[in-house]
Amino acid sequence: MYWELKENDQILQSGTLDVSIAPSETKQVSIPWDAWEQKEGCEYWLNVSFRLKQDELWADKGHTVIEEQMLLNEDAGASQRLDVDALESVSYEDSVAGISVQGNDFQVEIDKATGEIKSFVSGGVNLVEQGPIPNYFRALVDNDRGAGDLASQIWRWQNAGTGRTVESVNVSENEAGTMLTVSISGTLPVGTSRFSMTYYIYGDGTIRVDHTLSPTGIGNDIIPVVGNILRI
């Protein structure tokens, strides 16, 4: 077993342990790390992996068979939470075609027809070319093809995101005028499914995106994936 202790993306300590665990059995293992000083605002991770001890027909010695990552300080970053009211102010213009957001050294354009960000310019550089576009499709694997009509259930989600219809776009701001909330909702061409996208635009240029899928009228619980496509 190989282990490593990381501070953000930097390895602080690492090592190997000779662990023998029979199939269907469990075993408690102690990681022999040395005490270290935790820095405020840093995340500390324990990465554990089990690797082949010898060459096999299907893989070489050292090949990772299974791995896991554990966050050791779940409250990391709590002290770095934004004081939203103390941020720079943001303003916006709401037109028929879209929403234009102006902040300190950044501008955001949101297309009402698609709900996508048309442009996100910060420091004179455009950071987003297109998206986020709701996506509910993934490539099929062998198990999908051999599981009855599962493949057809997956394929019907292929164009669900690009075939969406935006029905409403609403904008609101906090009392301090330092954060905008742009809420977008609409329908998908799969059953009577619906989607929503919410952009939280902060005065420091941060944009948080929440995406919700409400699958209804599809006849089963087969949803290949829930995600977004963003072109930068």
Side-chain angles (χ1 to χ4, degrees), residues 119-207:
S119 68
F120 176 18
V121 178
S122 179
V125 178
N126 187 29
L127 304 178
V128 175
E129 181 177 327
Q130 184 184 24
I133 304 170
N135 178 57
Y136 312 103
F137 179 77
R138 61 166 175 78
L140 272 66
V141 299
D142 287 345
N143 286 347
D144 298 328
R145 295 184 175 89
D149 66 344
L150 180 60
S152 64
Q153 299 299 327
I154 292 175
W155 275 111
R156 67 177 180 163
W157 288 94
Q158 183 180 20
N159 300 313
T162 55
R164 69 194 182 281
T165 299
V166 174
E167 293 184 334
S168 67
V169 179
N170 297 298
V171 187
S172 62
E173 58 183 338
N174 65 341
E175 292 185 4
T178 57
M179 183 189 77
L180 295 179
T181 302
V182 181
S183 303
I184 299 162
S185 64
T187 60
L188 300 171
V190 179
T192 55
S193 299
R194 300 187 60 83
F195 80 98
S196 66
M197 299 278 285
T198 305
Y199 300 104
Y200 300 93
I201 305 173
Y202 298 88
D204 64 350
T206 299
I207 301 178

Side-chain angles (χ1 to χ4, degrees), residues 6 18 24 28 45 49 51 54 59 61 68 77 86 91 99 116 162 164 173 190-192 198 223 227:
K6 301 184 74 174
D18 189 5
S24 301
Q28 183 171 319
W45 300 91
S49 61
R51 305 175 179 181
Q54 60 190 27
K61 177 182 178 181
E68 184 60 82
S91 60
I99 299 167
E116 299 172 23
T162 55
R164 69 194 182 281
E173 58 183 338
V190 179
T192 55
T198 305
I223 303 171

Side-chain angles (χ1 to χ4, degrees), residues 52-71:
L52 292 179
K53 295 182 179 180
Q54 60 190 27
D55 291 342
E56 300 289 349
L57 292 175
W58 49 276
D60 296 332
K61 177 182 178 181
H63 174 77
T64 298
V65 178
I66 189 171
E67 58 187 354
E68 184 60 82
Q69 182 180 69
M70 291 156 276
L71 180 63

Side-chain angles (χ1 to χ4, degrees), residues 6 16 22 35 66-67 85 88-89 96 112 161-162 166 169 229:
K6 301 184 74 174
T16 58
I66 189 171
E67 58 187 354
D85 291 346
E88 298 281 351
S89 62
V96 174
K112 282 189 172 180
T162 55
V166 174
V169 179
I229 297 174

Side-chain angles (χ1 to χ4, degrees), residues 21-28:
I21 306 174
S24 301
E25 289 189 357
T26 60
K27 185 175 183 179
Q28 183 171 319

Side-chain angles (χ1 to χ4, degrees), residues 35-54:
W36 77 95
E37 180 184 355
Q38 293 195 23
K39 300 176 183 177
E40 184 177 354
C42 290
E43 292 181 325
Y44 292 90
W45 300 91
L46 174 63
N47 295 334
V48 178
S49 61
F50 288 85
R51 305 175 179 181
L52 292 179
K53 295 182 179 180
Q54 60 190 27

